[in-house]
Amino acid sequence: MAWDAKGRATLAPVAIQSPRGQELLAGVAPELRLKTAHVVGPDGVVHSGGDAVAVVGRLLRGGLPVTLVARLVPWLVRSGYGVIASNRVTVSKAVPTAAKRRADAELARRSAPGTTA
């Protein structure tokens, strides 16, 4: 979200548990929805975990290198994502409180009714 500070990529965070999140993830088994992050691409296809990296990279200005790596070595990106996701509590402890506050504020701003990005 910080990479897209000007909102050019139209990234719109949606809580998985929200009605909209449930609607967007209708094709994902309920027991898998909270296990990973998901991105619904411009084509409406749901991409989950490491597979979402290429989609987000494609949407971000300057994200081409990220997209290329994700497409050239998807197994590596999936593995890296899996390690981070499996250790999210530990990883979260390394994120400064101020950064978490900024992220929360940006998520709230972007998910406010009437905003598209």
Side-chain angles (χ1 to χ4, degrees), residues 20-68:
R20 181 70 177 139
Q22 295 296 304
E23 177 186 330
L24 289 168
L25 299 177
V28 176
E31 65 273 11
L32 299 177
R33 291 179 189 165
L34 292 175
K35 290 191 180 247
T36 187
H38 310 278
V39 171
V40 180
D43 55 3
V45 175
V46 176
H47 305 268
S48 301
D51 293 336
V53 173
V55 177
V56 173
R58 192 173 67 237
L59 294 171
L60 292 169
R61 175 174 278 188
L64 181 60
V66 172
T67 301
L68 290 174

Side-chain angles (χ1 to χ4, degrees), residues 63-83:
L64 181 60
V66 172
T67 301
L68 290 174
V69 169
R71 290 184 185 244
L72 290 172
V73 286
W75 59 270
L76 182 62
V77 175
R78 288 182 195 126
S79 295
Y81 180 90
V83 168

Side-chain angles (χ1 to χ4, degrees), residues 1 7 10-14 105-117:
M1 299 299 289
T10 63
L11 298 174
V14 176
E106 182 65 11
L107 288 170
R109 183 185 74 78
R110 289 192 185 216
S111 52
T115 59
T116 57

Side-chain angles (χ1 to χ4, degrees), residues 35 79-91:
K35 290 191 180 247
S79 295
Y81 180 90
V83 168
I84 292 170
S86 296
N87 296 287
R88 67 184 80 181
V89 172
T90 303
V91 171

